[in-house]
């Protein structure tokens, strides 16, 4: 009998302690999952707000073509929209001598159409943009889609030539870019 009481006093609290640890771990896991979901929603809402405000800078760090993938310097390869004004710039770092003083092209224009597609929080936000280049800048910017994926990650697809760019999307005041001479 004494052995039974002794076992009950030491084994039962240990079993309850293990259950309590499991519950704590489960609660921590659920809290972490909830926090991650809240952060993703906040990022999605911030991206949507940038798109709605027409205030964003896409800084490209990779170019994808049918011939392969090429790294880019995001400080000099970008597309931005501020209200109805847009600029796209490519600089090819010594490969191409362009008129912008950075080894590429800089083209500016006026946003003609701007359509936001933001269906669900767990899907990318897409902005379809068409830009009319300023006089003397040729075909300039043209038509494209900008996709906001979250955590600042984004992609741009240039419809006129099928190029795809990957990079970061930031607010204009946070973007550290170097704009060359316009054509």
């Amino acid at each position: 009998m004494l052995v039974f009481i002794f076992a009950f006093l030491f084994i039962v609290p240990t079993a309850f302690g293990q259950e309590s640890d499991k519950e704590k771990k489960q609660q921590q896991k659920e809290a972490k999952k909830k926090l991650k979901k809240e952060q993703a929603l906040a990022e999605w809402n911030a991206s949507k707000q940038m798109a709605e405000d027409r205030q964003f800078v896409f800084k490209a760090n990779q170019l994808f073509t049918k011939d392969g993938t090429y790294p880019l310097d995001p400080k000099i390869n970008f597309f931005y929209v501020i209200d109805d004004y847009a600029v796209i710039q490519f600089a090819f770092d010594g490969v191409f001598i362009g008129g912008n003083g950075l080894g590429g092209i800089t083209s500016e224009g006026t946003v003609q159409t701007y359509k936001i597609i933001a269906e669900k929080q767990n899907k990318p936000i897409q902005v379809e943009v068409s830009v009319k280049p300023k006089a003397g800048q040729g075909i300039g910017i043209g038509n494209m889609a900008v996709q906001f994926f979250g955590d600042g990650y984004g992609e741009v697809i240039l419809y006129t030539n099928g190029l795809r760019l990957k990079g970061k999307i930031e607010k204009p005041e946070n973007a550290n870019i170097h704009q060359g001479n316009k054509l």
Side-chain angles (χ1 to χ4, degrees), residues 98-109:
N100 68 359
L102 299 171
I105 57 167
T106 303
S107 181
E108 63 182 333

Side-chain angles (χ1 to χ4, degrees), residues 72-108:
L72 299 173
D73 181 348
K75 288 184 178 182
I76 57 176
N77 292 281
F78 56 83
F79 168 70
Y80 71 78
V81 171
I82 297 177
D83 300 319
D84 286 335
Y85 178 72
V87 171
I88 192 165
Q89 175 173 285
F90 292 111
F92 303 103
D93 204 20
V95 176
F96 173 74
I97 304 297
N100 68 359
L102 299 171
I105 57 167
T106 303
S107 181
E108 63 182 333

Side-chain angles (χ1 to χ4, degrees), residues 47 56-64 78-79 88 90 124-129 144-159 162-170:
S47 294
F56 64 87
V57 177
F58 170 80
K59 297 173 14 175
N61 56 31
Q62 285 184 305
L63 169 66
F64 295 85
F78 56 83
F79 168 70
I88 192 165
F90 292 111
I125 296 166
Q126 181 162 311
V127 178
E128 294 178 358
V129 184
M144 67 187 69
V146 181
Q147 296 177 317
F148 296 70
F149 284 95
D151 198 25
Y153 172 74
E155 290 187 12
V156 168
I157 300 166
L158 302 171
Y159 292 139
L163 295 177
R164 192 176 91 202
L165 304 147
K166 287 187 178 185
K168 289 283 190 180
I169 299 177
E170 301 175 350

